[in-house]
Amino acid sequence: MDVVMHGASHQGLVRTGNEDAFVCGSQVFAVADGLGGHNAGEVASRLALGPLAALDGGINPGDDLAQVLAQAIRSGNDAVLADAQANPERHGMGTTVTAAALCDGAAHLAHVGDSRAYLLRPPDSLWQLTADHTQVAEQVRQGLLSNEEAAVHPERNVLLRVVGLDPEIDVDTPEPVALAPGDRLLLCSDGLNAVLNDEAIGVLLGGADDPEAVCDELIRATLAGGAPDNVTLVVVFVR
Ligand code: CA
């Protein structure tokens, strides 16, 4: 499977720092959206991605890769907790993590929080591969809120699961996705989907013919929409 990839991050137009982080390796990809203020979120997102970055290049086809990713997220969770314990000013920091590993023609995923993985399959099918771990997304799943209501809900950013706050974390491992030539995978922090709806994301993800140009276009559209948050993307094209 021939893949090309690109990752990018932008502070946005409102925030004074960038607490997002990403991994864009040859086989392993991830985004993390840190929270905590006073630069603690920035520490949390980078610490959480360390074990995932270390996996890149060493992925073994025989392994249960979603579980390998989940274990790396748990190691990142331990690292964030240990740092917060040693540095009281960072107590309470945390981060989302959405990770993918590509191997033998499939994407394997593991995920905590409200960053997202999307798959675009030509000509125009877009799937969100991850479930947002937010109170409002849970209410949408239960039929208590519509997607439209959730998109503007005042508590839409309240997370049900975060990396770095508790010794035990529940990591989602969605079913692996068999990839086909032409497929495009996107990992993003919520600074993207807070501004662009799925339709706009699908159009821009399917637009330009290289991943760097797609990242540029998605960030440009987010900035044009006011970019109230940090925005981070990893785009992978299957050739
Ligand atoms: Ca964010």
Side-chain angles (χ1 to χ4, degrees), residues 15 20 33-34 189-191 229-230:
R15 297 292 176 89
D20 287 357
D33 179 348
S189 63
D190 71 336
D229 196 2
N230 308 145

Side-chain angles (χ1 to χ4, degrees), residues 60-80:
N60 298 310
D63 293 344
D64 182 340
L65 293 177
Q67 290 306 325
V68 171
L69 293 175
Q71 191 52 49
I73 291 175
R74 288 189 196 96
S75 298
N77 186 61
D78 294 344
V80 176

Side-chain angles (χ1 to χ4, degrees), residues 198-212:
D198 283 5
E199 188 184 352
I201 290 171
V203 167
L204 293 171
L205 182 56
D209 59 9
D210 78 86
E212 184 172 359

Side-chain angles (χ1 to χ4, degrees), residues 35 56 66-67 79 90 110 113 138-139 151 168 178-179 189-190 215 234:
L35 33 127
D56 192 53
Q67 290 306 325
R90 293 201 284 271
E138 186 58 39
Q139 288 176 325
E168 294 295 320
L179 296 171
S189 63
D190 71 336
C215 285
V234 175

Side-chain angles (χ1 to χ4, degrees), residues 181-211:
D183 283 354
R184 296 179 174 191
L185 194 65
L186 167 69
L187 307 183
C188 65
S189 63
D190 71 336
L192 183 76
N193 54 271
V195 173
L196 302 180
N197 63 21
D198 283 5
E199 188 184 352
I201 290 171
V203 167
L204 293 171
L205 182 56
D209 59 9
D210 78 86

Side-chain angles (χ1 to χ4, degrees), residues 32-48:
D33 179 348
L35 33 127
H38 303 293
N39 299 327
E42 191 177 323
V43 173
S45 60
R46 277 156 188 74
L47 282 175

Side-chain angles (χ1 to χ4, degrees), residues 5-6 184 204-205 207-220 233 235 237:
M5 65 291 284
H6 189 75
R184 296 179 174 191
L204 293 171
L205 182 56
D209 59 9
D210 78 86
E212 184 172 359
V214 164
C215 285
D216 289 347
E217 288 298 318
L218 284 164
I219 287 177
R220 191 171 301 148
L233 317 163
V235 171
F237 285 12

